[in-house]
Amino acid sequence: MPAPLVTPQLTQQSPIKLHTMRSYYAPELRPLEFQYTKVAGTLVGEEFVLDRTGAGCHVVFDGMECPLRKLHFHAPGEHRIDGMVSELELHLVHEILEYPDAYPSAYLVVGVMLESKTDKTGQAQPLAPWLRGHFDARAVARGPRGDRQEYEVDPSVYLPEDRAYFRYEGSLTTGDTEEVVTWTVLRDFRTIEGPAPLQLDPESSRLVQPLMRRYVLRSFALIA
């Protein structure tokens, strides 16, 4: 009799709750080296997908140059940092070129917690038109393609001054949620300007997943 088919349990799902006091300080974690410049891409809904021509942007992670492929936004945020959820969360999705031969993850995703600075008296907008207004005001438009719009964007404007981070192994939070992601979630929030109040849609953000038997590392020590 053939052995029964066993479906492996998913044990490294994202997002998760990040707790400073329940994470482990790892002084060997290197700072993330963001080599970001203004790049061209296309805004489609909640994603800004970069063109793959030219040198593009990248981040140096564990000695590897990981090119930035897209910016993906969620409102409200997905990760929780010490019990706090952000109004908006940006995922900077980088490809790890050494996967799978020399590194077990296909993507390095940098999570950034964002808060919007805007006139709160206006009518709230869903995320997709809100992003269109945000990019129209603060990026260089190159031309529309129907419901798509091309821009030149400098992704470094979304980074906080302090780049201390949490790190753990997890998954994509959309699509098939494949467990091929190394997550680095920046500790500090960043404020950005928006065209109107942001309408939050909890249905568009994935629920927090169990930590299971994982450890969360952090690049920063606690202040005595």
Side-chain angles (χ1 to χ4, degrees), residues 61-155:
F61 165 72
D62 281 0
M64 301 178 291
E65 290 189 3
C66 305
L68 180 64
R69 295 305 187 201
K70 65 181 178 180
L71 287 68
H72 191 92
F73 296 83
H74 294 270
E78 295 190 314
H79 288 87
R80 306 292 189 269
I81 298 181
D82 292 328
M84 297 180 62
V85 58
S86 62
E87 184 180 19
L88 184 64
E89 182 172 340
L90 167 61
H91 295 161
L92 296 155
V93 182
H94 305 79
E95 183 180 1
I96 298 179
L97 302 176
E98 286 75 2
Y99 171 83
D101 295 332
Y103 200 81
S105 292
Y107 302 102
L108 168 72
V109 181
V110 178
V112 187
M113 307 299 126
L114 301 173
E115 297 292 336
S116 66
K117 178 183 178 182
T118 186
D119 181 3
K120 300 298 183 182
T121 61
Q123 184 175 359
Q125 295 181 356
L127 180 56
W130 189 94
L131 285 172
R132 183 72 172 260
H134 168 73
F135 275 69
D136 281 346
R138 287 156 191 88
V140 179
R142 302 176 64 210
R145 289 187 189 169
D147 62 342
R148 305 178 175 205
Q149 175 69 50
E150 294 185 349
Y151 296 95
E152 289 185 351
V153 175
D154 182 358

Side-chain angles (χ1 to χ4, degrees), residues 181-216:
V181 178
T182 293
W183 279 93
T184 56
V185 180
L186 301 188
R187 175 193 62 187
D188 289 1
F189 285 47
R190 179 83 163 93
T191 299
I192 62 171
E193 294 187 4
L198 180 58
Q199 180 179 314
L200 305 184
D201 179 13
E203 296 289 331
S204 68
S205 297
R206 196 178 189 210
L207 295 175
V208 170
Q209 303 296 304
L211 182 62
M212 304 295 280
R213 300 180 69 179
R214 288 177 286 178
Y215 294 96
V216 177

